[in-house]
Structures are given as C-alpha cells and as structure tokens.
Amino acid sequence: MAQGIKTLAALLAAGIAGTALAAATPEEIKSLGSTRTPWGAEIAGNKDGSIPAWTGAVTPPANFDPQKPTHRPDPFASEKPLFSIDAKNMDKYADKLSEGTKAMLKKYPTYRLDIYPGHRTANYPKYYVDNTLKNASECKTGSDGLKLEGCWPGLPFPFPKTGNEVVWNRLLKFDAPAMTTTGMSSRVVDTQGNITLTGASTAYIQYPIFDPKRTTPISGNEIYEALRLDYSAPNRKAGEKVLVRDSVDMLDTGRRAWSYLPGQRRVKLSPDLSYDTPSPTGGGTGVLDDTAVFFGAMDRYDFKLVGKKEMYIPYNAYKIRDPQVCPENVRHMKNHLNPDCMRWELHRVWVVEATLKPGKRHVYPKRVFHFDEDFSGVGIADNYDSTGQIYRVVLNLPISLYETPGHHATDEYVTHDLATGMYAHQTDPTDGGGWVVTPLKPNSFFMPEALAAEGVR
C-alpha cells in the first residue's frame, strides 16, 4: 500500500492531476480477477486480518423472504462488536479515523463507534464487470477531468490515478438500474433531540447507462442518473414533485432539474437544485451536493488524490434499516444516530481532497472524501468551513440487496452540522418499506411533461 501511495504521489508531482489521459498499465489490467477484484480493489486482506480478503457476494440469511424483498434481515445479526471507540480511547485508533469522525467524538460525549468484523460484500453483474475491463484500457477523462471519453457502462476507472477519476467512480456507482420506494423520508433532529419529518415521497431512481441490454459505450451527453420524487408529506409539501437528471457531460449539459408546485400548478426549471443550495429537506443542515456523500458536478473544485488508507466507516448497515430493530424513536438521538443501531467496519478507502478553484464559490472551501475501494459510492465526507474548521460530516449507510445478485444500495445518508449540533437523516426508506428493484421505466417518465400531466392541486 505504501508503494502505491508513493506511485500516486509521483504521478501527481508530474502534473497529471485534474486531467487524466493515462489508461491502466498492462500489469494492472492483467491483475483484474487475479490479485485484484474485477473492479480493481485489492483481493487480499490486510496483514493482521482486520480487513478480510474479498470472497464474493453476501449470502442472504435464512429468514429472508424473497416475496418480501423490501425487508432485508441482517445477515450478521449474531455478531457482537469487537470493541468500541469513544472520546476516551480515540487516540489509539486515530490513524484509522477521519478528521470529521474525530471531531464528532470530541464534541458529543454520547457518540461511539462499535467496530464489527469486516465483510466485503460487493459484487457486480457480468456485463458491468466486462465493461469495467474495457474501461481499464479505453476510458479516459478530458476537459480538465470533467468529461468522459471512450467509456463503457462499468466502473470507469478500476485503477484511478487522479482525484477526478475517483469521483467519477462515485458518480457512476452501480446500484440496480432502476429502483422504487413508496416511502422515502427525510428527518431533521434538532439540538434537543426533537425529530421533524421534512419530506416523505415515493421515489424513483434510474441509471439508464446500466441497462443490461445496451451494447454501446457511454455517449457524452446521455443521462447517467435520473431521480424523481413525488411528495406526500408533510402537508406543506404534499403534491410537490421534483425531477433531477444528471448528464455525463457536466460542462455543456450538466444537471437539469424541475419542480412542480401544486399551488401554482406549473412545472418550473429549478437550476438551483445543485452545488451548495440548502437541501430542501435538510432543514439547514446540509446542501444539495452533500447527498450520499457527494452528488453533483466537479467543476468548482480541484480534486487531489491523496492515496488509499485503512479507515473505519459505516458498512453493512442492515440494523439501522430494520424498523423492527431500530424504529424511528430509537435510531434517532440528540446530535447523532443511535450508536447501538450503527455498524462500523475497517475498510480500505480512497482519500480525495477537494479544494475550491480560484474564482469559484461554495460554502465548503475544502472537503475530504473517503470512498470505499469495493463500493465506489460508500464512505465519509469531511466538509470544512472558511476558518478551516470541520463544519459538516456526511456518512452513508449502505447495504447489499439480496433479490438481484450484484446490486447494492448506497442512497441513505446523514449530514451532521457540528456548528449547530443538528443533523439530517435523508433518503431513508426504512419506515416506508424499503427499495424495490424494478424494470427500467421509459425515459418519458423522467421528463418535465410527465410532472405536468400528473400534477394535482
């Protein structure tokens, strides 16, 4: 690992940061499927065994009912924590904690990390793996790292060499090509521990580029992710609809967003649903591109790849997604989620430091991202304010799905605002029945005309 970080540092010193045109080496490509997973992670565990070798997909527990796919029991429910980390012993584990995690441990006496045995549950379908192999030699970035060239619908960069390439891996993360939940909710918890429902919706998410039937590379301006929310609660939001479509071309096309407000009975373009616009369901505790650690365009930051390291991150978060084990009033405590409902594991993560470009603005001048080597959308973000202090810490709560091998869910996330002590728990499908894997919907479903046709007062 140390040699890998040295190699990356040499590449960065050579001035390739920001624009990556170098494909994987023949030796790297040969390692896919032998010493590396088909998507480029290290197959071997670490020396002391605290990170296991990757062995394949998670096995559903015996009490999983395929007829009730939204309830996914914890396959590791019988495991006990190996140890816990709190403010008293955090120095012992400091090299495996993000700066944001340390800040939370120092600030909140009730915050605690229960460390469980690691389980590397990532797995992907064959067409995704096949396309990842093509990408190793063919996929490149252009336009200062902001565009993709010659890429296929797999992991774009199994051997990332720049910060932009790691973030592209996150943006084009693989979940199921299409999923729906009838009860996605967002809640804000204030400094007294009061819980406020800020949004409940039927949510539709679709990744058109991952249609298993396609046989063509990704074109520059096609949509890689489409999201539609039809709100039903609270009363002030009932009837609202939001549509977001993100293009692979984030420079010339970028994000297109629309909203429907029942009081106006009109569909409007919503260009502000991006970057550091306060999240509509975040209650002032987070911004749009905090979503699921990072969700948006890269053009406001310089992304520097720091390297790969071992870090404790939330993982296999089945417990907190089970309403029978951790109902709403149990999983939400003052200042943070209930540590009893959380599961932390040691994993290898890519570390990327984002610094605001000259002349650009964002409420976070600096951000540090930590993305899992197996699940490219999983990790932690430490966001800094203009004084250089940790401002907000974002975690996501991933699980692997059972009903469709190779798929996982990385949507649910928590944004902690250390300045106020509040936090927002967003895109939580737990009480609404969870996500269901569905066939791909026609593109017309994710067009503004569909919002207008279905809108009601």
Side-chain angles (χ1 to χ4, degrees), residues 4 54 58 78 167 241 283 346 383 413 415:
W54 174 77
V58 64
S78 63
V167 178
K241 298 176 186 291
L346 187 65
N383 299 324
Y413 70 103
T415 304

Side-chain angles (χ1 to χ4, degrees), residues 122-136:
N123 193 29
Y124 298 96
K126 184 177 184 303
Y127 72 90
Y128 180 87
V129 168
D130 291 344
N131 286 329
T132 299
L133 178 60
K134 295 178 184 175
N135 284 337

